[in-house]
Structures are given as structure tokens and as C-alpha cells.
Amino acid sequence: MSTFNKSPNVLFPVRVARAQRVSPGFMRITFAAPELKFLPSRSLDQRIKILFPKTPHLPQSLAEPILPESQWRKQWRELDPDIRPHLRTYTIAQSRPKVAEVDIDFFLHDQ
């Protein structure tokens, strides 16, 4: 089995718990989900992937409660580009596994 097939990265839904302007050009978004309690509290260059749907909801093939990376990536690639969610990588600013939260800082474009 390849390393990719054994990847601990899974797809799961989160909710926005808080949003805070941390500077004129950055917004800190706090995401919450029960699955975040399994995220390590701190590691160097800790990154996550975020899917941004083009419609109000994710396509049905990606809407399963928890999908392993080998499965969700394959399903994501097979989607019609018109409905395929945007996939972006972000560095975690802070994770708090005890309360199942993570902070991501977003640069604000075109202010």
C-alpha cells in the first residue's frame, strides 16, 4: 500500500466558530469540528486543505461524513470542473485539540 493510501488526512465538515480581524490585511477564522480534537496541538509547517464549494453545498460525492484522502481526492478530480470545489492549502496558525478548534489566517485580497 502506498503512503498516499495510508494518509491520515481525511475530509470532514467544519463550522466557522469565530472570525477576527487581526490586521488590516488578515482575518483569523476559527473552525470547529469534533474531528479536530485528533489534530496535533503543534508541529512545524502544519498544513490543511480546504475545499471551497462553488455552490452552497459540496457535491454529493464529497458529502460523506469522513472520507480518507485517497478517496476524496479521486472523487474531487472526477468532478466536472464547473462544480468542482476550489482546493487550497493553508498553514495552521494555532490548533486547540482540547476544544476541537483550529485557527487559520486568511489574507484579504482587493480590500
Side-chain angles (χ1 to χ4, degrees):
M1 182 178 276
S2 74
T3 303
F4 180 75
N5 287 331
K6 294 187 283 186
S7 170
N9 300 319
V10 295
L11 179 67
F12 55 88
V14 298
R15 68 176 177 79
V16 173
R18 288 182 298 287
Q20 174 189 4
R21 191 79 171 246
V22 292
S23 75
F26 281 91
M27 179 74 76
R28 177 164 293 151
I29 306 294
T30 300
F31 295 102
E35 294 83 0
L36 291 171
K37 66 184 171 190
F38 302 109
L39 190 69
S41 60
R42 191 74 175 137
S43 65
L44 296 176
D45 195 29
Q46 193 173 15
R47 294 169 286 131
I48 63 168
K49 302 283 188 199
I50 298 178
L51 293 175
F52 293 97
K54 294 179 181 176
T55 62
H57 302 285
L58 279 175
Q60 187 60 38
S61 63
L62 296 173
E64 299 292 323
I66 297 181
L67 290 174
E69 185 172 17
S70 60
Q71 187 177 349
W72 71 256
R73 285 240 190 203
K74 179 180 183 295
Q75 292 175 353
W76 177 80
R77 283 191 301 269
E78 291 172 350
L79 287 170
D80 181 312
D82 290 337
I83 63 166
R84 183 184 304 138
H86 298 286
L87 175 63
R88 300 290 183 264
T89 303
Y90 291 91
T91 301
I92 294 172
Q94 186 175 19
S95 62
R96 291 177 298 286
K98 289 182 180 179
V99 294
E101 290 184 343
V102 64
D103 295 334
I104 306 292
D105 292 340
F106 290 85
F107 178 73
L108 302 172
H109 298 267
D110 300 324
Q111 300 179 54

